[in-house]
Amino acid sequence: VVRPYKRVEDNVLAVATSLVLLLLFLATNWTTIFLGIEERSSVEDADAVLGFDNLNGIVISMLVLVTVTLIFFLIGAVVSACGAKTDRIRLVSTNQPPELSIVLG
């Protein structure tokens, strides 16, 4: 399995930002299609094709979807941060973190 980042949290953040960007592009696409159909024929035709009777319906539904997605990933990030281990290096003999110091020179 190829992973672009070493930490799981970075991979989750990359997936979350990609998903939000995809949803924003989808909202832009739907808005452009709705306005194009409305300009060429009528609102009824746009309603028949997309299922939205005005542009506010598209915008509100996509804002709700993006907000729910961000909240979902935010909850996941908080749970992941709370469960993260802070001590990564431990001594084999005592199972305690080592006392490290920086020596100049």
Side-chain angles (χ1 to χ4, degrees):
V1 176
V2 177
R3 294 174 50 188
Y5 303 106
K6 291 182 181 179
R7 294 176 38 192
V8 176
E9 296 86 10
D10 293 336
N11 285 325
V12 170
L13 182 63
V15 168
T17 55
S18 297
L19 182 62
V20 168
L21 186 62
L22 176 71
L23 291 174
L24 291 175
F25 281 140
L26 183 64
T28 305
N29 191 11
W30 283 358
T31 303
T32 305
I33 291 172
F34 183 85
L35 291 175
I37 293 172
E38 183 183 32
E39 181 180 302
R40 292 177 198 269
S41 54
S42 66
V43 177
E44 290 80 23
D45 291 337
D47 184 22
V49 171
L50 292 175
F52 295 102
D53 57 350
N54 59 9
L55 194 58
N56 290 336
I58 296 173
V59 172
I60 290 172
S61 65
M62 291 310 289
L63 284 176
V64 167
L65 187 59
V66 167
T67 303
V68 167
T69 304
L70 287 175
I71 288 171
F72 175 72
F73 279 108
L74 180 65
I75 290 171
V78 168
V79 168
S80 176
C82 290
K85 295 180 181 179
T86 56
D87 298 328
R88 300 277 183 193
I89 300 173
R90 295 195 174 262
L91 297 173
V92 175
S93 59
T94 61
N95 202 19
Q96 296 294 323
E99 294 180 19
L100 302 175
S101 60
I102 298 176
V103 178
L104 297 176

PDB file of all heavy atoms in Angstrom, residues 22-46:
ATOM      1  N   LEU A  22     -13.638  18.255  -3.719  1.00  0.00           N
ATOM      2  CA  LEU A  22     -14.501  17.572  -4.685  1.00  0.00           C
ATOM      3  C   LEU A  22     -15.951  18.029  -4.549  1.00  0.00           C
ATOM      4  O   LEU A  22     -16.627  18.280  -5.552  1.00  0.00           O
ATOM      5  CB  LEU A  22     -14.403  16.057  -4.499  1.00  0.00           C
ATOM      6  CG  LEU A  22     -15.313  15.210  -5.374  1.00  0.00           C
ATOM      7  CD1 LEU A  22     -14.836  15.246  -6.815  1.00  0.00           C
ATOM      8  CD2 LEU A  22     -15.366  13.796  -4.867  1.00  0.00           C
ATOM      9  N   LEU A  23     -16.426  18.164  -3.314  1.00  0.00           N
ATOM     10  CA  LEU A  23     -17.803  18.619  -3.102  1.00  0.00           C
ATOM     11  C   LEU A  23     -17.994  20.062  -3.576  1.00  0.00           C
ATOM     12  O   LEU A  23     -19.039  20.402  -4.139  1.00  0.00           O
ATOM     13  CB  LEU A  23     -18.175  18.492  -1.626  1.00  0.00           C
ATOM     14  CG  LEU A  23     -18.314  17.058  -1.100  1.00  0.00           C
ATOM     15  CD1 LEU A  23     -18.543  17.069   0.402  1.00  0.00           C
ATOM     16  CD2 LEU A  23     -19.422  16.325  -1.817  1.00  0.00           C
ATOM     17  N   LEU A  24     -16.993  20.902  -3.379  1.00  0.00           N
ATOM     18  CA  LEU A  24     -17.098  22.282  -3.852  1.00  0.00           C
ATOM     19  C   LEU A  24     -17.090  22.351  -5.381  1.00  0.00           C
ATOM     20  O   LEU A  24     -17.834  23.135  -5.972  1.00  0.00           O
ATOM     21  CB  LEU A  24     -15.973  23.131  -3.267  1.00  0.00           C
ATOM     22  CG  LEU A  24     -16.077  23.382  -1.770  1.00  0.00           C
ATOM     23  CD1 LEU A  24     -14.855  24.128  -1.272  1.00  0.00           C
ATOM     24  CD2 LEU A  24     -17.339  24.144  -1.432  1.00  0.00           C
ATOM     25  N   PHE A  25     -16.277  21.522  -6.020  1.00  0.00           N
ATOM     26  CA  PHE A  25     -16.305  21.457  -7.487  1.00  0.00           C
ATOM     27  C   PHE A  25     -17.652  20.936  -7.988  1.00  0.00           C
ATOM     28  O   PHE A  25     -18.170  21.408  -8.996  1.00  0.00           O
ATOM     29  CB  PHE A  25     -15.178  20.574  -8.016  1.00  0.00           C
ATOM     30  CG  PHE A  25     -13.843  21.241  -8.058  1.00  0.00           C
ATOM     31  CD1 PHE A  25     -12.715  20.548  -7.695  1.00  0.00           C
ATOM     32  CD2 PHE A  25     -13.702  22.557  -8.458  1.00  0.00           C
ATOM     33  CE1 PHE A  25     -11.470  21.153  -7.716  1.00  0.00           C
ATOM     34  CE2 PHE A  25     -12.469  23.172  -8.495  1.00  0.00           C
ATOM     35  CZ  PHE A  25     -11.352  22.471  -8.124  1.00  0.00           C
ATOM     36  N   LEU A  26     -18.225  19.968  -7.291  1.00  0.00           N
ATOM     37  CA  LEU A  26     -19.537  19.442  -7.667  1.00  0.00           C
ATOM     38  C   LEU A  26     -20.605  20.525  -7.544  1.00  0.00           C
ATOM     39  O   LEU A  26     -21.468  20.661  -8.417  1.00  0.00           O
ATOM     40  CB  LEU A  26     -19.884  18.245  -6.789  1.00  0.00           C
ATOM     41  CG  LEU A  26     -21.184  17.519  -7.082  1.00  0.00           C
ATOM     42  CD1 LEU A  26     -21.127  16.898  -8.469  1.00  0.00           C
ATOM     43  CD2 LEU A  26     -21.441  16.459  -6.037  1.00  0.00           C
ATOM     44  N   ALA A  27     -20.537  21.305  -6.467  1.00  0.00           N
ATOM     45  CA  ALA A  27     -21.502  22.396  -6.290  1.00  0.00           C
ATOM     46  C   ALA A  27     -21.357  23.435  -7.394  1.00  0.00           C
ATOM     47  O   ALA A  27     -22.357  23.940  -7.923  1.00  0.00           O
ATOM     48  CB  ALA A  27     -21.303  23.049  -4.921  1.00  0.00           C
ATOM     49  N   THR A  28     -20.131  23.742  -7.764  1.00  0.00           N
ATOM     50  CA  THR A  28     -19.902  24.699  -8.849  1.00  0.00           C
ATOM     51  C   THR A  28     -20.428  24.159 -10.172  1.00  0.00           C
ATOM     52  O   THR A  28     -21.049  24.901 -10.955  1.00  0.00           O
ATOM     53  CB  THR A  28     -18.396  24.991  -8.967  1.00  0.00           C
ATOM     54  OG1 THR A  28     -17.905  25.433  -7.708  1.00  0.00           O
ATOM     55  CG2 THR A  28     -18.121  26.048 -10.002  1.00  0.00           C
ATOM     56  N   ASN A  29     -20.234  22.875 -10.407  1.00  0.00           N
ATOM     57  CA  ASN A  29     -20.721  22.257 -11.632  1.00  0.00           C
ATOM     58  C   ASN A  29     -22.245  22.286 -11.694  1.00  0.00           C
ATOM     59  O   ASN A  29     -22.831  22.621 -12.724  1.00  0.00           O
ATOM     60  CB  ASN A  29     -20.190  20.826 -11.717  1.00  0.00           C
ATOM     61  CG  ASN A  29     -20.421  20.203 -13.068  1.00  0.00           C
ATOM     62  OD1 ASN A  29     -20.783  20.870 -14.017  1.00  0.00           O
ATOM     63  ND2 ASN A  29     -20.202  18.910 -13.147  1.00  0.00           N
ATOM     64  N   TRP A  30     -22.891  21.907 -10.599  1.00  0.00           N
ATOM     65  CA  TRP A  30     -24.360  21.928 -10.574  1.00  0.00           C
ATOM     66  C   TRP A  30     -24.893  23.341 -10.757  1.00  0.00           C
ATOM     67  O   TRP A  30     -25.895  23.547 -11.445  1.00  0.00           O
ATOM     68  CB  TRP A  30     -24.881  21.344  -9.271  1.00  0.00           C
ATOM     69  CG  TRP A  30     -24.840  19.853  -9.193  1.00  0.00           C
ATOM     70  CD1 TRP A  30     -24.435  18.996 -10.168  1.00  0.00           C
ATOM     71  CD2 TRP A  30     -25.205  19.057  -8.077  1.00  0.00           C
ATOM     72  NE1 TRP A  30     -24.531  17.703  -9.717  1.00  0.00           N
ATOM     73  CE2 TRP A  30     -24.991  17.712  -8.446  1.00  0.00           C
ATOM     74  CE3 TRP A  30     -25.671  19.335  -6.816  1.00  0.00           C
ATOM     75  CZ2 TRP A  30     -25.255  16.661  -7.581  1.00  0.00           C
ATOM     76  CZ3 TRP A  30     -25.927  18.286  -5.951  1.00  0.00           C
ATOM     77  CH2 TRP A  30     -25.718  16.967  -6.334  1.00  0.00           C
ATOM     78  N   THR A  31     -24.245  24.306 -10.148  1.00  0.00           N
ATOM     79  CA  THR A  31     -24.680  25.700 -10.282  1.00  0.00           C
ATOM     80  C   THR A  31     -24.553  26.162 -11.732  1.00  0.00           C
ATOM     81  O   THR A  31     -25.463  26.801 -12.268  1.00  0.00           O
ATOM     82  CB  THR A  31     -23.844  26.603  -9.363  1.00  0.00           C
ATOM     83  OG1 THR A  31     -23.957  26.134  -8.026  1.00  0.00           O
ATOM     84  CG2 THR A  31     -24.306  28.037  -9.438  1.00  0.00           C
ATOM     85  N   THR A  32     -23.440  25.832 -12.371  1.00  0.00           N
ATOM     86  CA  THR A  32     -23.240  26.218 -13.771  1.00  0.00           C
ATOM     87  C   THR A  32     -24.258  25.546 -14.680  1.00  0.00           C
ATOM     88  O   THR A  32     -24.818  26.180 -15.584  1.00  0.00           O
ATOM     89  CB  THR A  32     -21.814  25.843 -14.211  1.00  0.00           C
ATOM     90  OG1 THR A  32     -20.879  26.443 -13.320  1.00  0.00           O
ATOM     91  CG2 THR A  32     -21.536  26.302 -15.620  1.00  0.00           C
ATOM     92  N   ILE A  33     -24.525  24.262 -14.450  1.00  0.00           N
ATOM     93  CA  ILE A  33     -25.519  23.556 -15.262  1.00  0.00           C
ATOM     94  C   ILE A  33     -26.902  24.162 -15.061  1.00  0.00           C
ATOM     95  O   ILE A  33     -27.645  24.388 -16.024  1.00  0.00           O
ATOM     96  CB  ILE A  33     -25.513  22.053 -14.926  1.00  0.00           C
ATOM     97  CG1 ILE A  33     -24.225  21.403 -15.421  1.00  0.00           C
ATOM     98  CG2 ILE A  33     -26.729  21.350 -15.530  1.00  0.00           C
ATOM     99  CD1 ILE A  33     -24.040  19.979 -14.966  1.00  0.00           C
ATOM    100  N   PHE A  34     -27.264  24.449 -13.811  1.00  0.00           N
ATOM    101  CA  PHE A  34     -28.581  25.033 -13.527  1.00  0.00           C
ATOM    102  C   PHE A  34     -28.736  26.379 -14.220  1.00  0.00           C
ATOM    103  O   PHE A  34     -29.749  26.645 -14.862  1.00  0.00           O
ATOM    104  CB  PHE A  34     -28.769  25.187 -12.016  1.00  0.00           C
ATOM    105  CG  PHE A  34     -30.114  25.708 -11.615  1.00  0.00           C
ATOM    106  CD1 PHE A  34     -31.177  24.848 -11.457  1.00  0.00           C
ATOM    107  CD2 PHE A  34     -30.327  27.059 -11.417  1.00  0.00           C
ATOM    108  CE1 PHE A  34     -32.429  25.312 -11.102  1.00  0.00           C
ATOM    109  CE2 PHE A  34     -31.567  27.550 -11.065  1.00  0.00           C
ATOM    110  CZ  PHE A  34     -32.621  26.673 -10.901  1.00  0.00           C
ATOM    111  N   LEU A  35     -27.721  27.235 -14.087  1.00  0.00           N
ATOM    112  CA  LEU A  35     -27.811  28.562 -14.711  1.00  0.00           C
ATOM    113  C   LEU A  35     -27.818  28.468 -16.236  1.00  0.00           C
ATOM    114  O   LEU A  35     -28.510  29.248 -16.908  1.00  0.00           O
ATOM    115  CB  LEU A  35     -26.649  29.436 -14.234  1.00  0.00           C
ATOM    116  CG  LEU A  35     -26.709  29.845 -12.764  1.00  0.00           C
ATOM    117  CD1 LEU A  35     -25.451  30.605 -12.379  1.00  0.00           C
ATOM    118  CD2 LEU A  35     -27.951  30.664 -12.471  1.00  0.00           C
ATOM    119  N   GLY A  36     -27.076  27.497 -16.805  1.00  0.00           N
ATOM    120  CA  GLY A  36     -27.084  27.328 -18.258  1.00  0.00           C
ATOM    121  C   GLY A  36     -28.440  26.875 -18.772  1.00  0.00           C
ATOM    122  O   GLY A  36     -28.936  27.389 -19.788  1.00  0.00           O
ATOM    123  N   ILE A  37     -29.057  25.908 -18.088  1.00  0.00           N
ATOM    124  CA  ILE A  37     -30.389  25.436 -18.505  1.00  0.00           C
ATOM    125  C   ILE A  37     -31.418  26.544 -18.322  1.00  0.00           C
ATOM    126  O   ILE A  37     -32.279  26.752 -19.185  1.00  0.00           O
ATOM    127  CB  ILE A  37     -30.786  24.179 -17.714  1.00  0.00           C
ATOM    128  CG1 ILE A  37     -29.878  23.013 -18.078  1.00  0.00           C
ATOM    129  CG2 ILE A  37     -32.244  23.808 -17.975  1.00  0.00           C
ATOM    130  CD1 ILE A  37     -30.079  21.791 -17.208  1.00  0.00           C
ATOM    131  N   GLU A  38     -31.322  27.271 -17.212  1.00  0.00           N
ATOM    132  CA  GLU A  38     -32.269  28.363 -16.952  1.00  0.00           C
ATOM    133  C   GLU A  38     -32.135  29.469 -17.993  1.00  0.00           C
ATOM    134  O   GLU A  38     -33.132  30.040 -18.446  1.00  0.00           O
ATOM    135  CB  GLU A  38     -32.010  28.922 -15.554  1.00  0.00           C
ATOM    136  CG  GLU A  38     -32.973  30.013 -15.142  1.00  0.00           C
ATOM    137  CD  GLU A  38     -32.624  30.576 -13.783  1.00  0.00           C
ATOM    138  OE1 GLU A  38     -31.429  30.629 -13.426  1.00  0.00           O
ATOM    139  OE2 GLU A  38     -33.560  30.972 -13.080  1.00  0.00           O
ATOM    140  N   GLU A  39     -30.916  29.746 -18.429  1.00  0.00           N
ATOM    141  CA  GLU A  39     -30.691  30.799 -19.426  1.00  0.00           C
ATOM    142  C   GLU A  39     -31.197  30.387 -20.805  1.00  0.00           C
ATOM    143  O   GLU A  39     -31.755  31.206 -21.539  1.00  0.00           O
ATOM    144  CB  GLU A  39     -29.189  31.103 -19.489  1.00  0.00           C
ATOM    145  CG  GLU A  39     -28.815  32.190 -20.460  1.00  0.00           C
ATOM    146  CD  GLU A  39     -27.318  32.417 -20.454  1.00  0.00           C
ATOM    147  OE1 GLU A  39     -26.769  32.724 -19.386  1.00  0.00           O
ATOM    148  OE2 GLU A  39     -26.715  32.254 -21.531  1.00  0.00           O
ATOM    149  N   ARG A  40     -31.025  29.112 -21.160  1.00  0.00           N
ATOM    150  CA  ARG A  40     -31.409  28.664 -22.496  1.00  0.00           C
ATOM    151  C   ARG A  40     -32.906  28.374 -22.619  1.00  0.00           C
ATOM    152  O   ARG A  40     -33.483  28.558 -23.678  1.00  0.00           O
ATOM    153  CB  ARG A  40     -30.626  27.415 -22.882  1.00  0.00           C
ATOM    154  CG  ARG A  40     -29.177  27.687 -23.076  1.00  0.00           C
ATOM    155  CD  ARG A  40     -28.420  26.420 -23.382  1.00  0.00           C
ATOM    156  NE  ARG A  40     -26.993  26.593 -23.169  1.00  0.00           N
ATOM    157  CZ  ARG A  40     -26.149  26.980 -24.111  1.00  0.00           C
ATOM    158  NH1 ARG A  40     -26.584  27.235 -25.314  1.00  0.00           N
ATOM    159  NH2 ARG A  40     -24.868  27.104 -23.846  1.00  0.00           N
ATOM    160  N   SER A  41     -33.532  27.888 -21.544  1.00  0.00           N
ATOM    161  CA  SER A  41     -34.964  27.584 -21.662  1.00  0.00           C
ATOM    162  C   SER A  41     -35.727  28.216 -20.504  1.00  0.00           C
ATOM    163  O   SER A  41     -36.121  29.364 -20.586  1.00  0.00           O
ATOM    164  CB  SER A  41     -35.194  26.084 -21.741  1.00  0.00           C
ATOM    165  OG  SER A  41     -34.585  25.432 -20.646  1.00  0.00           O
ATOM    166  N   SER A  42     -35.945  27.474 -19.419  1.00  0.00           N
ATOM    167  CA  SER A  42     -36.721  28.018 -18.309  1.00  0.00           C
ATOM    168  C   SER A  42     -36.332  27.314 -17.011  1.00  0.00           C
ATOM    169  O   SER A  42     -35.604  26.336 -16.997  1.00  0.00           O
ATOM    170  CB  SER A  42     -38.224  27.855 -18.572  1.00  0.00           C
ATOM    171  OG  SER A  42     -38.550  26.479 -18.581  1.00  0.00           O
ATOM    172  N   VAL A  43     -36.891  27.834 -15.908  1.00  0.00           N
ATOM    173  CA  VAL A  43     -36.624  27.253 -14.596  1.00  0.00           C
ATOM    174  C   VAL A  43     -37.265  25.876 -14.494  1.00  0.00           C
ATOM    175  O   VAL A  43     -36.723  24.980 -13.830  1.00  0.00           O
ATOM    176  CB  VAL A  43     -37.154  28.194 -13.482  1.00  0.00           C
ATOM    177  CG1 VAL A  43     -36.962  27.578 -12.115  1.00  0.00           C
ATOM    178  CG2 VAL A  43     -36.464  29.536 -13.557  1.00  0.00           C
ATOM    179  N   GLU A  44     -38.390  25.669 -15.170  1.00  0.00           N
ATOM    180  CA  GLU A  44     -39.056  24.375 -15.113  1.00  0.00           C
ATOM    181  C   GLU A  44     -38.186  23.276 -15.713  1.00  0.00           C
ATOM    182  O   GLU A  44     -38.169  22.139 -15.222  1.00  0.00           O
ATOM    183  CB  GLU A  44     -40.411  24.429 -15.832  1.00  0.00           C
ATOM    184  CG  GLU A  44     -41.475  25.240 -15.125  1.00  0.00           C
ATOM    185  CD  GLU A  44     -41.314  26.743 -15.370  1.00  0.00           C
ATOM    186  OE1 GLU A  44     -40.695  27.130 -16.384  1.00  0.00           O
ATOM    187  OE2 GLU A  44     -41.814  27.515 -14.542  1.00  0.00           O
ATOM    188  N   ASP A  45     -37.475  23.596 -16.802  1.00  0.00           N
ATOM    189  CA  ASP A  45     -36.582  22.605 -17.399  1.00  0.00           C
ATOM    190  C   ASP A  45     -35.407  22.297 -16.475  1.00  0.00           C
ATOM    191  O   ASP A  45     -34.992  21.143 -16.348  1.00  0.00           O
ATOM    192  CB  ASP A  45     -36.064  23.092 -18.752  1.00  0.00           C
ATOM    193  CG  ASP A  45     -37.157  23.139 -19.806  1.00  0.00           C
ATOM    194  OD1 ASP A  45     -38.163  22.414 -19.640  1.00  0.00           O
ATOM    195  OD2 ASP A  45     -37.005  23.896 -20.782  1.00  0.00           O
ATOM    196  N   ALA A  46     -34.875  23.325 -15.838  1.00  0.00           N
ATOM    197  CA  ALA A  46     -33.779  23.112 -14.892  1.00  0.00           C
ATOM    198  C   ALA A  46     -34.262  22.291 -13.695  1.00  0.00           C
ATOM    199  O   ALA A  46     -33.531  21.440 -13.183  1.00  0.00           O
ATOM    200  CB  ALA A  46     -33.218  24.454 -14.423  1.00  0.00           C
TER     201      ALA A  46
END
